[in-house]
Amino acid sequence: MGRVVIDVPLSVLDLAPVARGASAGEALRHTTELARRTEELGYHRFWVAEHHNMPAIASSAPAVLLAHLAAHTSTMRLGSGGVMLPNHAPLVVAEQFGTLEALHPGRIDLGVGRAPGTDQVTALALRRTMEGLSAEGFPRELADLMNHFTGEEPGPITATPGRGLRPEIWLLGSSGFSAQLAGLLGLPFSFAHHFSAQNTLPALALYRQSFRPSRWLERPYAMVAVNAVCAETDERAQWLAGPAALSFLRLRAGRPEPLATPEEAAAYPYTELEREFVAQRREGQATGSPETVARQLGDLVARTGADELMLTTLVYDVADRVRSYELIAERVAGGLRRKA
């Protein structure tokens, strides 16, 4: 057989970033604006991520936010990137996403992660018990969650809404553990290349090697999440990307703050070690003009064989965030292809 050229779908991962001087309400309104605009631009899906105790991120309640976004969009898929299962009882997640699927059939993705998406003190405050907070318990809790939708193992509890509904279940990961589990369960897999670039290729290889066809999926389907900041010039894109780098640096140092302005980020007195940390974080990501981003994303597709790319754009001003997605849709997306 000849080699078939396949277009690569593009999707969006948004954190509802809270900029310095802005409110959480403004952040959520900006996320809504972005969802509407990216739907118009033809992006395939729009996911929001669960994080807690982080002043720069307002997407702490994905199911609530997704209900709002679904009411303000009409065609694109909406989902969690992800719901962090250790924070929740599986029944609660099944009922929440069963409700979303019942209200918006065929549009809901349930992306599930095994990290708490926060610090251990906050995770304990969410779950109120240490039970379920360990990685070892994740496969069992995931099985419980899936059973609430399928009812394959009958029990005394029926998730309503939930039983018989089928949101598209994804497994998220940044290492080989979730990659292998997604493969064994026959689920689509989304890899967090945007903060774990060094593990991308080994994890995707493990996912494909481990994959077993299931009721959910016949063949492996891998999506790669990547930081993407696109502007008219490389220089402006690098300038716009400054606040995200500073935000991650402060988070790793245990000092999370609202998203800084580009001017504040540019003026920050980085140490040599901090500069090296930021440079490592930017490796393999996509920052620059449309021509530069097209080259970077094309290389990522070629190296990973990604079936889909999910772009996350953490910049200070919503207008710059929207413009980045516009430039990629208008001047990059058409040239992104992979051979299969």
Side-chain angles (χ1 to χ4, degrees):
M1 294 179 62
R3 295 170 72 83
V4 180
V5 177
I6 302 173
D7 292 334
V8 179
L10 296 181
S11 293
V12 179
L13 172 64
D14 196 65
L15 306 181
V18 182
R20 187 177 304 284
S23 67
E26 289 174 291
L28 295 170
R29 285 191 289 274
H30 291 161
T31 288
T32 306
E33 175 186 340
L34 182 64
R36 284 196 292 247
R37 182 60 181 134
T38 51
E39 179 178 74
E40 292 171 350
L41 292 167
Y43 284 85
H44 183 49
R45 62 183 97 232
F46 191 103
W47 283 7
V48 294
E50 178 186 353
H51 290 284
H52 301 277
N53 197 26
M54 296 185 186
I57 297 175
S59 57
S60 57
V64 178
L65 181 52
L66 291 172
H68 176 76
L69 296 177
H72 287 80
T73 56
S74 59
T75 58
M76 74 190 320
R77 297 194 65 90
L78 299 165
S80 55
V83 162
M84 312 318 288
L85 193 54
N87 298 338
H88 312 282
L91 175 60
V92 172
V93 177
E95 290 176 337
Q96 289 175 345
F97 279 79
T99 300
L100 288 168
E101 179 66 21
L103 289 169
H104 307 281
R107 294 186 60 203
I108 302 302
D109 298 333
L110 171 52
V112 181
R114 72 181 180 99
T118 185
D119 57 88
Q120 287 295 310
V121 172
T122 306
L124 182 58
L126 287 161
R127 193 65 182 258
R128 300 178 65 189
T129 173
M130 292 302 293
E131 182 70 22
L133 292 181
S134 68
E136 291 75 15
F138 179 75
R140 175 181 51 80
E141 298 225 322
L142 178 62
D144 288 347
L145 172 61
M146 295 169 68
N147 187 60
H148 282 305
F149 291 114
T150 65
E152 287 183 338
E153 297 182 13
I157 299 173
T158 299
T160 307
R163 178 72 61 84
L165 295 170
R166 285 188 58 170
E168 192 169 286
I169 299 177
W170 287 70
L171 211 53
L172 281 56
S174 58
S175 67
F177 181 94
S178 292
Q180 185 173 32
L181 183 59
L184 293 173
L185 294 175
L187 294 174
F189 178 59
S190 179
F191 188 81
H193 177 80
H194 58 306
F195 64 79
S196 187
Q198 71 277 8
N199 292 327
T200 304
L201 296 182
L204 292 178
L206 185 58
Y207 168 62
R208 291 170 178 137
Q209 292 164 7
S210 304
F211 187 85
R212 298 174 182 172
S214 71
R215 66 187 297 165
W216 309 97
L217 198 64
E218 292 183 359
R219 62 189 65 184
Y221 191 95
M223 179 164 63
V224 175
V226 55
N227 289 306
V229 179
C230 191
E232 294 294 346
T233 66
D234 289 347
E235 292 75 18
R236 179 164 176 78
Q238 293 288 347
W239 188 70
L240 292 175
L246 180 58
S247 180
F248 193 74
L249 184 66
R250 285 171 167 168
L251 178 64
R252 290 294 294 267
R255 296 181 287 104
E257 297 181 20
L259 196 63
T261 66
E263 292 83 0
E264 181 184 350
Y268 180 82
Y270 288 94
T271 66
E272 191 60 35
L273 189 61
E274 289 172 336
R275 289 187 185 281
E276 182 178 339
F277 175 81
V278 169
Q280 289 176 349
R281 178 165 167 76
R282 287 180 173 173
E283 285 182 8
Q285 309 302 313
T287 305
S289 66
E291 295 74 22
T292 298
V293 168
R295 184 173 63 253
Q296 292 167 331
L297 292 182
D299 177 66
L300 182 62
V301 171
R303 289 188 295 110
T304 63
D307 298 288
E308 186 172 340
L309 293 181
M310 177 160 274
L311 314 180
T312 182
T313 303
L314 191 62
V315 297
Y316 178 80
D317 192 287
V318 66
D320 292 317
R321 196 148 111 245
V322 170
R323 185 56 182 154
S324 179
Y325 285 106
E326 288 175 340
L327 287 171
I328 291 173
E330 294 163 0
R331 297 169 57 180
V332 176
L336 285 177
R337 304 178 184 276
R338 70 177 181 90
K339 292 182 178 181

